[in-house]
Amino acid sequence: MKICKKCIQPDTRPGIFFNQDGICGACIWENTKKNIDWDLREKELKKISEWAQKSTESNYDCVIGVSGGKDSTKQALTARDNLGLRCLLVNSEPEGITEIGSSNIENLKKLGFDVISLRPNPKVTKLLVKRDFFKHLNPVKITEFSLYSSTYIIADKFGIPLIIQGENPGLTLGTSLTGVGTDENAMKANELQTLSSGWEEYLEVQGIEENDLYFFHYDRKNLESRNYKAIWLNYFLKEWSNHNNAIFSKQHGLKWRSDDFDPNSIGTYLPYFQLDGDFTQVNQLLKFIKFGFGQCMDHVCYDIREGRLTREKAIELVKLHDGKCSDEYIEKFCNFIEISKDEFWKTAEKFRGDVWEKTGDGNWRNRIWSMF
Ligand SMILES: [Zn+2]
């Protein structure tokens, strides 16, 4: 096991790349960014936009999948205001949507966009969330299937040739060993770590038929045969970062968490991540049990790379907040899939990764933390 020598990201993240010098893929990308000819990239992006305007068979030039968060606002305004594209936004509503999430989607609409909102059958979703919890210990996996797929489905049905996605995690998280790689091609979204197990496995779930899963997968082959394009926007934009997008979007009406939020209730100190659904907090806690890190680790690593945190301060923050999640969210989740908290913790324990070792007094020690 190792942690990156520049940031403090561990190699327990599935699909993570490390080079021979012990540097993670995300830090390599941060360094690569300094040498990219960004003017050239912007010209490439312009060219793709012009192609979309010429070849569309629809009223729209591009489709953008939006959750209503900082990246969605950045994507939509860049596409419309900088690239001059006619955008159709697609929002797939997550289970357990928050007040702040709903208000941010409303804000995006008010900025002047046509928006299609989709809500996959909640009864079906509930069965799938429950199944993912017990099989993968990941309660938001199915939400990601619909979030990504709905954009491609709408492009397909409306005859819109360009799909604009936010960031390629192969670049920003360093997970380039997954199928998404490090290029601009977002047609490969079905090879993202979370989606790569395939939607077909849900056919095994009792009570679920193929027709129930329409919004959870897209026909990549068909889109490719029509020469449609899907791109990761961060491949083309120098100023793209979580922090910059959050500030930009706040200036355009995005609401962050309130100033007095409790970092230990959500497991991080940053107020602008994962605002739309409460189950994502539970998922981060479960990620911590599986892999030894949660969202605070992700966030300090962004801040180290972009010069806002020292390694020392980052370690302090991780030890304070990582893996924390308020009982309120856990209870809400247990009520949703109708299990007891006892069953929740027993199941979570089954997935505890070998990043944890038992100490003499019967507690768990995080081996990543021991390496700091
Ligand atoms: Zn790193």
Side-chain angles (χ1 to χ4, degrees):
M1 214 181 63
K2 54 190 164 196
I3 59 172
C4 174
K5 289 189 176 153
K6 283 207 159 172
C7 64
I8 54 172
Q9 160 150 255
D11 67 349
T12 54
R13 184 194 291 285
I16 185 85
F17 171 78
F18 272 71
N19 74 7
Q20 287 171 334
D21 301 324
I23 311 291
C24 80
C27 287
I28 295 170
W29 167 239
E30 201 56 41
N31 196 42
T32 307
K33 278 162 79 177
K34 292 177 196 151
N35 301 317
I36 287 173
D37 182 345
W38 289 104
D39 289 340
L40 188 68
R41 289 262 163 115
E42 242 170 78
K43 274 183 201 148
E44 283 174 45
L45 183 58
K46 277 264 175 211
K47 223 167 138 186
I48 293 169
S49 305
E50 284 160 17
W51 163 83
Q53 287 165 327
K54 262 184 241 150
S55 51
T56 185
E57 303 158 72
S58 149
N59 182 50
Y60 305 98
D61 307 316
C62 71
V63 190
I64 304 174
V66 293
S67 66
K70 58 189 170 41
D71 293 352
S72 315
T73 312
K74 173 75 180 175
Q75 282 163 258
L77 293 179
T78 302
R80 184 189 68 190
D81 300 342
N82 299 2
L83 301 171
L85 293 171
R86 288 191 59 87
C87 311
L88 178 59
L89 310 190
V90 181
N91 172 237
S92 182
E93 193 179 307
E95 279 307 316
I97 191 164
T98 57
E99 221 169 277
I100 193 166
S102 304
S103 130
N104 281 336
I105 276 288
E106 197 52 34
N107 179 62
L108 198 49
K109 292 174 185 170
K110 283 184 186 155
L111 288 170
F113 290 97
D114 287 349
V115 180
I116 293 186
S117 282
L118 295 170
R119 177 98 198 267
N121 182 337
K123 283 189 175 172
V124 169
T125 306
K126 181 172 165 167
L127 280 176
L128 302 180
V129 169
K130 188 166 185 172
R131 197 258 187 182
D132 279 340
F133 172 71
F134 285 108
K135 179 151 187 189
H136 301 288
L137 202 71
N138 183 342
V140 299
K141 188 177 168 79
I142 196 63
T143 307
E144 290 208 23
F145 270 97
S146 60
L147 181 74
Y148 276 103
S149 304
S150 53
T151 317
Y152 297 79
I153 293 168
I154 295 296
D156 200 352
K157 296 297 167 197
F158 277 66
I160 307 171
L162 178 62
I163 296 143
I164 298 182
Q165 299 289 13
E167 59 179 36
N168 180 350
L171 296 171
T172 54
L173 292 175
T175 51
S176 57
L177 300 183
T178 62
V180 293
T182 55
D183 61 22
E184 80 287 7
N185 182 5
M187 208 53 98
K188 299 185 281 189
N190 64 326
E191 295 181 53
L192 287 163
Q193 179 64 30
T194 317
L195 310 193
S196 59
S197 54
W199 66 276
E200 293 91 343
E201 70 172 64
Y202 296 106
L203 291 169
E204 296 162 11
V205 182
Q206 210 180 359
I208 296 292
E209 294 172 11
E210 187 165 349
N211 289 343
D212 297 322
L213 299 173
Y214 182 78
F215 280 124
F216 299 104
H217 62 100
Y218 63 98
D219 190 344
R220 175 172 157 186
K221 271 198 187 128
N222 178 41
L223 291 164
E224 284 173 340
S225 72
R226 290 165 79 181
N227 290 321
Y228 279 22
K229 280 192 174 66
I231 55 168
W232 301 110
L233 196 55
N234 81 313
Y235 177 88
F236 297 97
L237 299 182
K238 185 183 180 184
E239 79 278 13
W240 179 285
S241 77
N242 285 297
H243 183 75
N244 289 348
N245 291 0
I247 305 250
F248 172 90
S249 299
K250 195 179 190 187
Q251 285 162 354
H252 290 90
L254 182 87
K255 267 193 205 158
W256 294 4
R257 286 179 202 284
S258 61
D259 291 343
D260 60 350
F261 82 96
D262 173 12
N264 282 345
S265 76
I266 57 166
T268 188
Y269 59 104
L270 289 177
Y272 50 71
F273 275 92
Q274 305 202 323
L275 301 166
D276 59 336
D278 285 342
F279 296 164
T280 55
Q281 321 307 341
V282 177
N283 187 50
Q284 292 295 335
L285 156 71
L286 299 172
K287 184 173 103 179
F288 185 70
I289 293 170
K290 280 188 285 189
F291 305 121
F293 70 97
Q295 64 175 339
C296 187
M297 170 67 87
D298 295 342
H299 300 171
V300 297
C301 288
Y302 293 132
D303 280 346
I304 293 173
R305 282 179 214 121
E306 291 162 29
R308 285 182 300 275
L309 272 188
T310 61
R311 248 170 150 246
E312 290 65 35
K313 182 70 188 161
I315 288 167
E316 202 181 294
L317 285 167
V318 164
K319 287 185 172 173
L320 270 178
H321 307 307
D322 213 18
K324 301 267 168 48
C325 176
S326 82
D327 251 11
E328 184 196 335
Y329 296 136
I330 297 168
E331 237 169 77
K332 190 173 166 187
F333 176 69
C334 289
N335 288 339
F336 177 68
I337 62 166
E338 297 177 72
I339 61 167
S340 67
K341 270 167 80 178
D342 188 45
E343 205 176 355
F344 175 88
W345 287 112
K346 272 189 184 149
T347 308
E349 276 309 317
K350 285 186 199 157
F351 285 84
R352 189 176 284 278
D354 57 11
V355 62
W356 298 96
E357 57 189 359
K358 260 241 159 93
T359 58
D361 54 5
N363 289 318
W364 290 109
R365 180 189 292 136
N366 188 328
R367 289 167 59 213
I368 297 167
W369 292 15
S370 307
M371 293 175 78
F372 289 158

